[in-house]
Amino acid sequence: MSERQAKLLALAGELADDFATRAARHDREASFPVENVERMKETGYTALVIPERNGGLGADLIDYALCQERLAQGCAATALSINMHLFGIGSMVERSAGGPRDEMFFDLIGRHRRIIGGGISEPETGGDWGYFATRARRDGDRWVLNGRKVFTSLSPVIDIFMVMATLEDESGPPASATFAVPRGAPGAEIVETWDTMAMRATASHDLILKDVRLGEAAMSERRPIGPIDEAGISLFAWFGVSVAAIYTGIAEAALKFAREFAGRHRPMTLPRPISYLPGTQFAMAEAQALLAQSRALFFQTGAEYMRDPRSFAGAEGLARVVMPKYVATNNAVRIVDLCMEMVGAHGLHRKFPLERYYRDVRAGPHHPLSNARARELIGKTALGVSLAEAPRW
Ligand SMILES: Cc1cc2nc3c(=O)[nH]c(=O)nc-3n(C[C@H](O)[C@H](O)[C@H](O)COP(=O)(O)OP(=O)(O)OC[C@H]3O[C@@H](n4cnc5c(N)ncnc54)[C@H](O)[C@@H]3O)c2cc1C
């Protein structure tokens, strides 16, 4: 481990231990841990992936994943929320060719500790990222946005909503773009809808956009709607590897609890604690093997991607960056189930964190690409079937 990694991990560990003391309360109340975000701003964690010259901590993809894995062990909702800010920035830093516009944006996050997020998912399009029901139309020199975004994690503290929309009335092939919508822009409203069984403290509310008017400078990342491009693969690489790490972190927290519980819990009918039972040992072995698989895959994919992002091209490249998230989120569900099996009914008690881990990991497979879409992509590319093939199935 490099000196930089050790320093970053020490910070993630310190934050995780602090956030863990409040995680159960925020989960119970479905309240957003604003104070955690303040602490992350103070310590520079919100600028984790921003270059040091812009006031950030300079983490690369692997450093970032390691930190998020550690943070999730303390408070998974905080780790997932801040991930919606960090992953896109990491991808932007990776793709940046420099220039005043990029430097200004990185300064905004690094030096001024602004928070971005939200703006991709919609009720109409679900996890089908790439095409958006939200529309942007031209009106003179302004863009006018209309639509509804859902699952806007981090919504209480986002300064700039990064809203993806389909461009209307454009000549040429259909295109989409990302619009920077400042908090408080007339017509942009958060509606509090988030009341779920998992990741309750992420405040992933709805963002309503009604005739939101923006200048030309608010638009970036304009691209034709169609097959995934390099920028899309980069976004999925940063998203997939970090989400894999977060859900692996939850699984590790569950295993830590199960290990401690199994070492001290001794029913009267047994001579020794339940850690001596073959069932406990076999469940622990299976969980450890799944954990090792998840970690190996997100490390390996992250390292390969960092070494040569251009080698991840087209549907095959996308399938490679989607794989760690697919494997790790599903493994996390299985690992936490095994922990429940080891611990037994005590695991259902709210006084223990295991039931929260059990609920939180359930969100993992729903992040893009969902299980069904990931299987389609991985299966079709491995079979040599084009994703553009019609009919689709
Ligand atoms: C905790 C949490 C936080 C999130 N935070 C954010 C955020 O901050 N910003 C953001 O933009 N999004 C966020 N998301 C949303 C996420 O990125 C997805 O867009 C969302 O989970 C998709 O919802 P869905 O499964 O209902 O989608 P749908 O697309 O409606 O899918 C419903 C079901 O149908 C299946 N399905 C649908 N279409 C197909 C198809 N063509 N082929 C195969 N199967 C299909 C899916 O696999 C799924 O099982 C978050 C999600 C969660 C769970």
Side-chain angles (χ1 to χ4, degrees), residues 127-160:
D128 249 338
W129 289 4
Y131 178 84
F132 304 101
T134 300
R135 301 280 152 164
R137 75 176 154 79
R138 268 192 194 283
D139 182 13
D141 62 350
R142 316 292 285 174
W143 284 100
V144 184
L145 261 62
N146 279 287
R148 184 183 193 118
K149 296 291 181 178
V150 289
F151 297 97
T152 312
S153 301
L154 207 59
S155 61
V157 295
I158 293 175
D159 297 301
I160 304 166

Short mmCIF file of all heavy atoms in Angstrom, two decimals, residues 127-160:
data_model
loop_
_atom_site.label_atom_id
_atom_site.label_comp_id
_atom_site.label_asym_id
_atom_site.label_seq_id
_atom_site.Cartn_x
_atom_site.Cartn_y
_atom_site.Cartn_z
N GLY A 127 -33.74 2.45 -15.11
CA GLY A 127 -32.29 2.30 -15.16
C GLY A 127 -31.74 2.27 -16.58
O GLY A 127 -30.59 1.89 -16.79
N ASP A 128 -32.56 2.66 -17.55
CA ASP A 128 -32.09 2.67 -18.94
C ASP A 128 -31.37 3.98 -19.23
O ASP A 128 -31.89 4.85 -19.93
CB ASP A 128 -33.27 2.50 -19.91
CG ASP A 128 -33.20 1.15 -20.61
OD1 ASP A 128 -32.10 0.56 -20.68
OD2 ASP A 128 -34.26 0.67 -21.07
N TRP A 129 -30.20 4.15 -18.66
CA TRP A 129 -29.46 5.40 -18.82
C TRP A 129 -29.04 5.57 -20.28
O TRP A 129 -28.61 4.63 -20.93
CB TRP A 129 -28.23 5.41 -17.93
CG TRP A 129 -28.57 5.54 -16.47
CD1 TRP A 129 -29.83 5.57 -15.91
CD2 TRP A 129 -27.65 5.65 -15.37
NE1 TRP A 129 -29.72 5.69 -14.54
CE2 TRP A 129 -28.42 5.74 -14.20
CE3 TRP A 129 -26.25 5.67 -15.29
CZ2 TRP A 129 -27.82 5.86 -12.94
CZ3 TRP A 129 -25.67 5.80 -14.04
CH2 TRP A 129 -26.45 5.89 -12.88
N GLY A 130 -29.14 6.76 -20.79
CA GLY A 130 -28.72 7.02 -22.17
C GLY A 130 -29.80 7.78 -22.91
O GLY A 130 -29.53 8.67 -23.70
N TYR A 131 -31.07 7.43 -22.62
CA TYR A 131 -32.20 8.15 -23.23
C TYR A 131 -33.01 8.74 -22.09
O TYR A 131 -33.24 8.07 -21.08
CB TYR A 131 -33.07 7.16 -24.04
CG TYR A 131 -34.27 7.84 -24.64
CD1 TYR A 131 -34.17 8.52 -25.85
CD2 TYR A 131 -35.50 7.85 -23.97
CE1 TYR A 131 -35.28 9.17 -26.38
CE2 TYR A 131 -36.59 8.50 -24.50
CZ TYR A 131 -36.48 9.16 -25.70
OH TYR A 131 -37.56 9.81 -26.21
N PHE A 132 -33.44 9.98 -22.23
CA PHE A 132 -34.09 10.64 -21.10
C PHE A 132 -35.44 11.22 -21.48
O PHE A 132 -35.59 11.85 -22.53
CB PHE A 132 -33.18 11.74 -20.53
CG PHE A 132 -31.84 11.19 -20.16
CD1 PHE A 132 -30.74 11.37 -20.99
CD2 PHE A 132 -31.70 10.43 -19.01
CE1 PHE A 132 -29.50 10.82 -20.66
CE2 PHE A 132 -30.47 9.87 -18.68
CZ PHE A 132 -29.37 10.06 -19.50
N ALA A 133 -36.43 11.01 -20.59
CA ALA A 133 -37.76 11.60 -20.79
C ALA A 133 -37.70 13.10 -20.50
O ALA A 133 -38.52 13.87 -21.01
CB ALA A 133 -38.78 10.91 -19.88
N THR A 134 -36.78 13.52 -19.66
CA THR A 134 -36.60 14.95 -19.38
C THR A 134 -36.12 15.63 -20.66
O THR A 134 -35.23 15.14 -21.34
CB THR A 134 -35.57 15.14 -18.25
OG1 THR A 134 -36.07 14.48 -17.09
CG2 THR A 134 -35.32 16.60 -17.94
N ARG A 135 -36.76 16.76 -20.98
CA ARG A 135 -36.50 17.45 -22.25
C ARG A 135 -35.85 18.80 -22.02
O ARG A 135 -36.18 19.49 -21.06
CB ARG A 135 -37.81 17.70 -23.00
CG ARG A 135 -38.57 16.43 -23.31
CD ARG A 135 -37.97 15.79 -24.52
NE ARG A 135 -38.16 14.35 -24.49
CZ ARG A 135 -38.00 13.58 -25.54
NH1 ARG A 135 -37.64 14.09 -26.69
NH2 ARG A 135 -38.17 12.28 -25.44
N ALA A 136 -34.95 19.15 -22.93
CA ALA A 136 -34.38 20.50 -22.94
C ALA A 136 -34.69 21.10 -24.31
O ALA A 136 -34.35 20.52 -25.33
CB ALA A 136 -32.88 20.43 -22.72
N ARG A 137 -35.41 22.24 -24.30
CA ARG A 137 -35.68 22.88 -25.60
C ARG A 137 -35.09 24.27 -25.60
O ARG A 137 -34.94 24.92 -24.54
CB ARG A 137 -37.18 22.90 -25.90
CG ARG A 137 -37.96 23.90 -25.14
CD ARG A 137 -39.44 23.95 -25.52
NE ARG A 137 -40.22 24.44 -24.40
CZ ARG A 137 -40.31 25.73 -24.07
NH1 ARG A 137 -39.70 26.65 -24.79
NH2 ARG A 137 -41.00 26.11 -23.01
N ARG A 138 -34.73 24.71 -26.79
CA ARG A 138 -34.16 26.05 -26.94
C ARG A 138 -35.24 27.12 -26.94
O ARG A 138 -36.30 26.93 -27.53
CB ARG A 138 -33.40 26.13 -28.27
CG ARG A 138 -31.96 25.79 -28.15
CD ARG A 138 -31.26 26.19 -29.43
NE ARG A 138 -29.94 25.58 -29.47
CZ ARG A 138 -28.91 26.03 -28.78
NH1 ARG A 138 -29.02 27.08 -28.00
NH2 ARG A 138 -27.73 25.42 -28.89
N ASP A 139 -34.92 28.24 -26.29
CA ASP A 139 -35.79 29.41 -26.37
C ASP A 139 -34.85 30.61 -26.46
O ASP A 139 -34.33 31.09 -25.45
CB ASP A 139 -36.69 29.48 -25.12
CG ASP A 139 -37.64 30.66 -25.19
OD1 ASP A 139 -37.77 31.26 -26.29
OD2 ASP A 139 -38.24 31.01 -24.15
N GLY A 140 -34.58 31.03 -27.69
CA GLY A 140 -33.58 32.09 -27.89
C GLY A 140 -32.21 31.60 -27.46
O GLY A 140 -31.77 30.51 -27.88
N ASP A 141 -31.56 32.33 -26.56
CA ASP A 141 -30.24 31.89 -26.10
C ASP A 141 -30.32 31.09 -24.80
O ASP A 141 -29.33 30.91 -24.11
CB ASP A 141 -29.31 33.11 -25.93
CG ASP A 141 -29.84 34.07 -24.87
OD1 ASP A 141 -31.00 33.88 -24.43
OD2 ASP A 141 -29.10 34.98 -24.49
N ARG A 142 -31.52 30.62 -24.45
CA ARG A 142 -31.69 29.85 -23.21
C ARG A 142 -32.09 28.42 -23.52
O ARG A 142 -32.64 28.13 -24.59
CB ARG A 142 -32.80 30.46 -22.31
CG ARG A 142 -32.79 31.95 -22.16
CD ARG A 142 -31.60 32.44 -21.39
NE ARG A 142 -31.70 32.18 -19.95
CZ ARG A 142 -30.71 32.43 -19.09
NH1 ARG A 142 -29.55 32.90 -19.52
NH2 ARG A 142 -30.84 32.19 -17.81
N TRP A 143 -31.84 27.54 -22.56
CA TRP A 143 -32.38 26.18 -22.60
C TRP A 143 -33.50 26.12 -21.56
O TRP A 143 -33.34 26.67 -20.45
CB TRP A 143 -31.30 25.16 -22.24
CG TRP A 143 -30.32 24.90 -23.33
CD1 TRP A 143 -29.07 25.42 -23.43
CD2 TRP A 143 -30.50 24.07 -24.48
NE1 TRP A 143 -28.44 24.97 -24.58
CE2 TRP A 143 -29.31 24.13 -25.24
CE3 TRP A 143 -31.55 23.28 -24.95
CZ2 TRP A 143 -29.14 23.44 -26.43
CZ3 TRP A 143 -31.39 22.58 -26.13
CH2 TRP A 143 -30.19 22.66 -26.86
N VAL A 144 -34.59 25.43 -21.90
CA VAL A 144 -35.70 25.30 -20.96
C VAL A 144 -35.89 23.81 -20.65
O VAL A 144 -36.11 23.00 -21.56
CB VAL A 144 -37.00 25.89 -21.55
CG1 VAL A 144 -38.13 25.84 -20.51
CG2 VAL A 144 -36.77 27.32 -22.01
N LEU A 145 -35.79 23.46 -19.37
CA LEU A 145 -35.84 22.05 -18.96
C LEU A 145 -37.18 21.71 -18.33
O LEU A 145 -37.68 22.46 -17.48
CB LEU A 145 -34.75 21.78 -17.92
CG LEU A 145 -33.46 21.15 -18.43
CD1 LEU A 145 -32.80 22.07 -19.42
CD2 LEU A 145 -32.52 20.84 -17.27
N ASN A 146 -37.72 20.54 -18.70
CA ASN A 146 -38.93 20.01 -18.08
C ASN A 146 -38.78 18.51 -17.87
O ASN A 146 -38.34 17.80 -18.78
CB ASN A 146 -40.15 20.28 -18.97
CG ASN A 146 -40.67 21.69 -18.80
OD1 ASN A 146 -41.27 22.04 -17.78
ND2 ASN A 146 -40.39 22.53 -19.79
N GLY A 147 -39.15 18.05 -16.68
CA GLY A 147 -39.09 16.61 -16.41
C GLY A 147 -39.10 16.33 -14.93
O GLY A 147 -39.23 17.23 -14.10
N ARG A 148 -38.99 15.03 -14.61
CA ARG A 148 -38.96 14.61 -13.21
C ARG A 148 -37.84 13.60 -13.03
O ARG A 148 -37.80 12.59 -13.74
CB ARG A 148 -40.30 13.99 -12.82
CG ARG A 148 -40.37 13.62 -11.34
CD ARG A 148 -41.69 12.93 -10.98
NE ARG A 148 -41.83 12.89 -9.52
CZ ARG A 148 -42.80 13.46 -8.84
NH1 ARG A 148 -43.74 14.13 -9.46
NH2 ARG A 148 -42.84 13.38 -7.52
N LYS A 149 -36.95 13.89 -12.13
CA LYS A 149 -35.87 12.95 -11.81
C LYS A 149 -36.20 12.26 -10.49
O LYS A 149 -36.78 12.87 -9.58
CB LYS A 149 -34.54 13.70 -11.68
CG LYS A 149 -34.08 14.34 -13.01
CD LYS A 149 -33.68 13.28 -14.02
CE LYS A 149 -33.21 13.87 -15.34
NZ LYS A 149 -32.78 12.83 -16.28
N VAL A 150 -35.86 10.97 -10.41
CA VAL A 150 -36.12 10.22 -9.17
C VAL A 150 -34.80 9.70 -8.60
O VAL A 150 -33.76 9.79 -9.26
CB VAL A 150 -37.10 9.04 -9.42
CG1 VAL A 150 -38.49 9.56 -9.68
CG2 VAL A 150 -36.65 8.17 -10.59
N PHE A 151 -34.84 9.20 -7.37
CA PHE A 151 -33.64 8.65 -6.71
C PHE A 151 -32.51 9.70 -6.63
O PHE A 151 -31.37 9.37 -6.94
CB PHE A 151 -33.10 7.43 -7.47
CG PHE A 151 -34.02 6.24 -7.53
CD1 PHE A 151 -34.81 6.01 -8.63
CD2 PHE A 151 -34.06 5.32 -6.49
CE1 PHE A 151 -35.64 4.89 -8.72
CE2 PHE A 151 -34.88 4.19 -6.56
CZ PHE A 151 -35.67 3.98 -7.68
N THR A 152 -32.85 10.94 -6.27
CA THR A 152 -31.81 11.97 -6.20
C THR A 152 -31.13 11.91 -4.83
O THR A 152 -31.43 12.70 -3.93
CB THR A 152 -32.43 13.36 -6.46
OG1 THR A 152 -33.25 13.27 -7.63
CG2 THR A 152 -31.36 14.41 -6.67
N SER A 153 -30.21 10.95 -4.67
CA SER A 153 -29.50 10.80 -3.39
C SER A 153 -28.78 12.09 -3.06
O SER A 153 -28.35 12.81 -3.97
CB SER A 153 -28.46 9.68 -3.50
OG SER A 153 -29.06 8.47 -3.84
N LEU A 154 -28.65 12.36 -1.76
CA LEU A 154 -27.86 13.52 -1.33
C LEU A 154 -28.63 14.84 -1.50
O LEU A 154 -28.06 15.93 -1.37
CB LEU A 154 -26.57 13.55 -2.19
CG LEU A 154 -25.26 14.16 -1.76
CD1 LEU A 154 -24.76 13.48 -0.51
CD2 LEU A 154 -24.20 14.05 -2.85
N SER A 155 -29.93 14.73 -1.84
CA SER A 155 -30.68 15.93 -2.27
C SER A 155 -30.63 17.10 -1.28
O SER A 155 -30.61 18.25 -1.73
CB SER A 155 -32.13 15.57 -2.60
OG SER A 155 -32.78 15.03 -1.47
N PRO A 156 -30.57 16.90 0.05
CA PRO A 156 -30.59 18.07 0.93
C PRO A 156 -29.35 18.95 0.81
O PRO A 156 -29.38 20.11 1.21
CB PRO A 156 -30.67 17.46 2.34
CG PRO A 156 -31.20 16.09 2.14
CD PRO A 156 -30.66 15.64 0.82
N VAL A 157 -28.26 18.41 0.26
CA VAL A 157 -27.00 19.20 0.27
C VAL A 157 -26.42 19.44 -1.12
O VAL A 157 -25.33 20.00 -1.25
CB VAL A 157 -25.93 18.50 1.15
CG1 VAL A 157 -26.34 18.45 2.61
CG2 VAL A 157 -25.61 17.10 0.63
N ILE A 158 -27.14 19.05 -2.16
CA ILE A 158 -26.61 19.25 -3.52
C ILE A 158 -26.64 20.74 -3.86
O ILE A 158 -27.67 21.40 -3.71
CB ILE A 158 -27.41 18.43 -4.56
CG1 ILE A 158 -27.19 16.93 -4.34
CG2 ILE A 158 -27.02 18.83 -5.99
CD1 ILE A 158 -28.05 16.03 -5.24
N ASP A 159 -25.50 21.26 -4.29
CA ASP A 159 -25.45 22.67 -4.74
C ASP A 159 -25.79 22.77 -6.22
O ASP A 159 -26.41 23.74 -6.64
CB ASP A 159 -24.03 23.24 -4.52
CG ASP A 159 -23.67 23.25 -3.04
OD1 ASP A 159 -24.39 23.90 -2.28
OD2 ASP A 159 -22.67 22.60 -2.67
N ILE A 160 -25.32 21.77 -6.98
CA ILE A 160 -25.58 21.80 -8.43
C ILE A 160 -26.11 20.42 -8.86
O ILE A 160 -25.42 19.41 -8.68
CB ILE A 160 -24.28 22.11 -9.22
CG1 ILE A 160 -23.66 23.42 -8.73
CG2 ILE A 160 -24.57 22.18 -10.72
CD1 ILE A 160 -22.23 23.62 -9.20
#
